[in-house]
Each structure stands twice: as C-alpha cells, then as structure tokens.
Amino acid sequence: MAGLTTARELRREGHAVTVMEQGRDIGGQWLYDPRADDADPLGAAPVMVHSSMYASVRLLGPRECMGVSDFQFLPRHDVAGRDTRRFPGHREVFCFLKEFCDAFRIMDMVRLNTRVVRVAMAGEGCRDMRWTVRSVGVEPDGGEEVAPAEEEVFDAVVVANGHYSQPRLPSIPGMEKWRRRQLHSHSYRVPDTFRDEVVVLVGCGDSAMDIALDLCGVAKAVYLTAKSVEQAMTPAMSKMLANHAELHLNPQIDFLCEDGTVQFADGTSVVADVVIYCTGYTYSFPFLDTGGLVTVQDNRVGPLFEHTFPPALAPSLSFVGIQMKTFVPWFFEAQGRWIARMLSGRSALPAADEMLRAAEEYCRAREAAGVPAKYTHDIGGVNPNETYEFVAKYTDLPPREEWKRELVRVILRDITEDRENFRDLDNDSETVREGVQRWLCLPDATVPGDVASSQVCMPFQAPSQL
C-alpha cells in the first residue's frame, strides 16, 4: 500500500519509477497467504512469509477514511462477491489495491518476484549521491532464487517495505525450555488448529483481542495477559469476558515451566498447550547499507526528519510508511507527493544540520512526555493531529473533512465500549450521514499521463527477505 501510492506520486511528478516486489503479486500485508513460518513460528530468524494477516481480519478503521484523494475505497455493489461493509475483510482491501493499480497503470512500474538483497551508496558526497541496487529473481511463492543477481544504479531510493512482518519477541524466563507450542501472532492464520486447547496470549492489544475472539468457541480456554489488568479492564473487555466463559484476563507471565505450566505475576498459574506472542513487530532493513547513517535502535528508525528523510542522505534516500496509526493510504499519498517534489526540485528541504536537530528535538520531546523510544513512530496513539499537520505543511492535498474526523472519534469511542461489535454499530450523526452520502457519489479516478525524469527505485518487499 505504501509503495503503490508513492510510486504513483513519483511518476506524476515526472520520475521514472521501478518498484521491486518479491511477492507473486502486489498488496503487501493485504495479499493473504495461508502459509505461515512453520519452521520458525516465533520469527526469531528472518521470516520467510511476508504477510502477517490472519483469515478473519476486518479493518479497525472505516473504509470512508481509506483511499487516496482521487480514488476512494468505495463499496462495489456492482461486483459479485465483494465485501461492501464499512469495515470489510482483508480481501476487499486487496481488491481495492488491484483496482488502484489498474486505474493508474501502476503495474507498468512493478517487477514481481524480485527480491532486493542490497542497497548501497554508489557515489561519494551528497551532491552526486546515487544508489546501487542489487536484486535477484525468486520463485513466485517467495522461495529460492531462480535468476542471477542484477545490479542497477538509481538516482534515489524510497524504502516502503512495511513493518508488520518481523516479529518483536519478549524476554520471558523459561521461553527457551518451553516444550509445548509457541508462536508469534505473525504465524497465526485460523483457529481450527487450536481446537480444544488451552491458549495463552501474551499481550492485550488489537491483535491479541482479535485472536482471542477468533479462538472463542474453538479453544478450550483462552487467557489474555496484560501488564496492567486494571488498565486493560475497559468496558469493552468486561463485555468480552462476560460474553465468553472460556475467555480470561490475567497479569503478565512471570515464567514458563517445562511441564507446560504458565505462572502469572499474581501467583496464579495454568497448564497451557500453546503460547501466542502478540507483541508487535520490529523495523527491519537488512538490505540497506548506509554506513551507519540510518540505524534501528529500540524500534526507533533514525535519525529521520519527519519520519521520512535521513538528514545526511536526503533527498536521495527516503522512507514511506514508518509511522503507525495514521490514515492509510491517504497519508502515504502525502508522503509520496512530498518526496516526489523534493526529488524534482520543486520543493526544498532544510539544511542537513537543521533536519538532524529537528529529528533529535522531536525524540527528546516524546521522551519528556513519557513516550518510550519504541513508540517514536506511533503517531495516532500519541498525537493524532500530527497526521493532519504533516499533510497541511508539506503537501497541497485538501484537508481531512470534518465529518471523517467525527466518524473516527465515534469509532474510537465505540471500540473502548464494545470491541466485539463496534464494527456493526450504527452511531452516525446527521453530519456524518450527509458526508457519507456525498462520499458515495464521488466520481471515479482519472488515469494520469507519464513523463520520464530521474529514476527512482523502491524496495517494496518483506523486510526479512530483501
């Protein structure tokens, strides 16, 4: 999603664009793969399956707030088998992305089954900096290499490889001695393989609650764990526990025993068959060689000016999609437009030392506000207005309509009140209803023309397979 929207903006600005995608099709996370990393279900080694999507996934945000400025995520009542709900499943998002590619001829720029293995500076000094990109052809299912490596030189590189593939694992005493099944949520697909088992979920975030509800009625018992039971006990959690007798909420795990016992921090315990770590993901760019100018420390990518440009390497190197909890792909469109204009010279960045100072001050401000480094790029969870401010400051995109902002505020409230059923509630105000009606009448997108200028390569692939 990040790569596709950015590719369109780059070409619209006149750049010649190459998108390198290691998968058999576009879509990234939204290209559902029923396979999982069975050989390494914890994902401690580089993952081999990119998508972390499980079969039952439905959007947490409304389709009205997705799409890009001139290609909205409208329900397709005219196509059989499409999911027209406000919160559709993952296949509907994939179909939307395919339609987006068709409307703007994006597949002309995409090389499928192409894995990037190295990106490194080809020149010396920022003025004439170029990038050598080494890639190999792979089997359609992301398997073995089937073509010799190829090296090309590009004027710029945009990294848009996502950050929901490489699992982040906790450190729990006894993990290495646990004799029963352990996996990260990255490797979870369907509940059937957990039938009549006792399952402990580490974490209490979106994935953990989704998977817990997915397992209810299939597993014998499901135990959610939270660092703070008091904070986790929202009205929504209370309703979930009341509705499902097999669902339990416990404090975090103290240690795991070889005999299958899971000891919780409050002294209680349970004998479990499976532990699923719903503990998030880490940024991973194993293909990128910047000589230490860009690093990932405690899940903070930096230094990055506005989460996008490394000051010492800008604008020839940039990142799209580093931010979390933003409106996508609308925000990716904004980032892509900003990058495209920087590369064409229509806009200019501050001096490198100013960008570095701004990036450092941003991180210090977050830390002073009590935000851990690992949440540096969590925008929506800390300051949702940062998304709107970025778009207004760096692009000419129209501001987010007020009815969409209201819709999101109501949905966030509903999630805390009724996590299990919020997607099917109808709490729209008259303002939102009128906005939705106008939105449903929007015209189709037009297809832009192509003009070739500087060449841009976009590694748009699974972070552990590049």
Side-chain angles (χ1 to χ4, degrees):
M1 188 178 285
L4 297 174
T5 48
T6 302
R8 188 192 72 159
E9 294 305 309
L10 288 163
R11 187 166 64 178
R12 277 183 162 177
E13 187 66 17
H15 303 293
V17 184
T18 300
V19 181
M20 297 186 182
E21 164 58 55
Q22 72 174 353
R24 69 184 186 279
D25 205 343
I26 59 94
Q29 285 293 332
W30 302 101
L31 178 60
Y32 175 72
D33 192 335
R35 302 173 305 157
D37 280 293
D38 294 330
D40 182 24
L42 285 177
V47 298
M48 296 304 296
V49 177
H50 173 59
S51 181
S52 300
M53 199 69 62
Y54 36 96
S56 63
V57 163
R58 287 180 65 186
L59 293 181
L60 285 173
R63 69 190 307 147
E64 290 93 334
C65 294
M66 294 185 66
V68 295
S69 59
D70 56 354
F71 196 85
Q72 296 293 307
F73 190 15
L74 297 168
R76 294 296 303 273
H77 297 280
D78 58 324
V79 180
R82 294 293 290 270
D83 187 345
T84 60
R85 296 174 294 178
R86 169 172 281 175
F87 301 90
H90 56 77
R91 181 180 178 275
E92 180 70 8
V93 182
F94 174 73
C95 291
F96 165 74
L97 292 175
K98 293 287 283 185
E99 290 167 349
F100 176 77
C101 286
D102 291 342
F104 296 100
R105 303 197 308 274
I106 291 173
M107 293 308 295
D108 296 347
M109 299 180 276
V110 179
R111 298 181 193 170
L112 298 175
N113 304 311
T114 303
R115 178 183 299 160
V116 173
V117 294
R118 189 167 187 263
V119 174
M121 289 175 278
E124 296 182 3
C126 294
R127 287 187 178 181
D128 53 355
M129 185 183 300
R130 303 184 79 198
W131 296 86
T132 298
V133 177
R134 185 179 179 87
S135 64
V136 296
V138 295
E139 293 178 341
D141 288 328
E144 298 298 319
E145 298 178 7
V146 294
E150 180 181 359
E151 282 196 355
E152 300 165 89
V153 177
F154 292 88
D155 300 307
V157 169
V158 180
V159 180
N161 66 324
H163 51 84
Y164 293 110
S165 286
Q166 188 63 51
R168 183 172 67 229
L169 293 170
S171 179
I172 298 175
M175 282 179 66
E176 69 286 352
K177 296 181 180 180
W178 176 261
R179 295 179 179 177
R180 303 190 181 189
R181 191 154 46 136
Q182 296 183 82
L183 67 149
H184 189 273
S185 56
H186 165 74
S187 297
Y188 177 85
R189 292 295 182 269
V190 294
D192 295 348
T193 56
F194 303 89
R195 185 169 299 278
D196 298 326
E197 293 186 328
V198 176
V199 183
V200 174
L201 301 172
V202 179
C204 210
D206 293 329
S207 295
M209 287 191 282
D210 272 356
I211 293 172
L213 290 170
D214 209 23
L215 291 169
C216 285
V218 177
K220 181 179 180 180
V222 180
Y223 293 83
L224 282 164
T225 64
K227 290 181 179 179
S228 171
V229 171
E230 291 74 19
Q231 292 181 9
M233 190 59 77
T234 61
M237 179 64 73
S238 297
K239 289 180 181 178
M240 286 169 56
L241 296 175
N243 291 339
H244 302 280
E246 69 271 46
L247 182 61
H248 311 273
L249 177 63
N250 290 75
Q252 63 186 13
I253 297 174
D254 210 6
F255 57 88
L256 300 171
C257 303
E258 291 185 61
D259 65 357
T261 301
V262 177
Q263 186 78 38
F264 300 109
D266 63 353
T268 61
S269 63
V270 64
V271 177
D273 299 292
V274 188
V275 176
I276 303 178
Y277 299 98
C278 304
T279 48
Y281 298 86
T282 184
Y283 296 94
S284 179
F285 314 105
F287 57 92
L288 184 60
D289 180 3
T290 64
L293 293 175
V294 179
T295 62
V296 180
Q297 296 181 346
D298 197 8
N299 221 33
R300 172 189 288 168
V301 185
L304 291 181
F305 177 64
E306 296 285 11
H307 308 272
T308 305
F309 289 107
L313 303 171
S316 68
L317 180 67
S318 57
F319 294 77
V320 172
I322 293 292
Q323 298 91 328
M324 295 185 287
K325 298 183 181 178
T326 60
F327 295 110
V328 298
W330 177 70
F331 188 75
F332 300 153
E333 178 187 17
Q335 273 192 293
R337 185 165 298 190
W338 186 38
I339 293 167
R341 293 183 177 185
M342 290 299 170
L343 291 173
S344 68
R346 279 217 288 160
S347 298
L349 287 167
D353 58 344
E354 293 180 37
M355 289 191 286
L356 179 59
R357 184 163 54 251
E360 291 172 344
E361 289 175 354
Y362 178 88
C363 292
R364 282 196 295 268
R366 301 275 284 196
E367 292 167 359
V371 180
K374 65 181 179 180
Y375 297 127
T376 296
H377 307 296
D378 185 343
I379 306 303
V382 178
N383 179 18
N385 287 329
E386 190 173 328
T387 296
Y388 305 125
E389 293 165 359
F390 176 95
V391 174
K393 185 175 182 179
Y394 296 114
T395 78
D396 58 356
L397 289 173
R400 199 54 132 179
E401 300 95 321
E402 181 54 40
W403 70 268
K404 289 185 178 180
R405 297 194 190 198
E406 179 184 336
L407 175 59
V408 170
R409 289 193 294 267
V410 172
I411 289 169
L412 290 175
R413 181 201 67 197
D414 290 345
I415 289 175
T416 62
E417 294 292 328
D418 192 347
R419 171 76 193 206
E420 191 167 3
N421 301 300
F422 79 91
R423 296 179 179 89
D424 301 312
L425 300 176
D426 183 4
N427 292 330
D428 290 355
S429 67
E430 189 61 33
T431 300
V432 171
R433 291 183 191 280
E434 291 175 357
V436 171
Q437 287 304 311
R438 293 193 300 272
W439 176 76
L440 288 170
C441 296
L442 289 174
D444 292 334
T446 56
V447 180
D450 294 332
V451 182
S453 181
S454 59
Q455 296 187 6
V456 184
C457 172
M458 298 180 54
F460 173 39
Q461 311 158 311
S464 58
Q465 293 184 293
L466 303 176

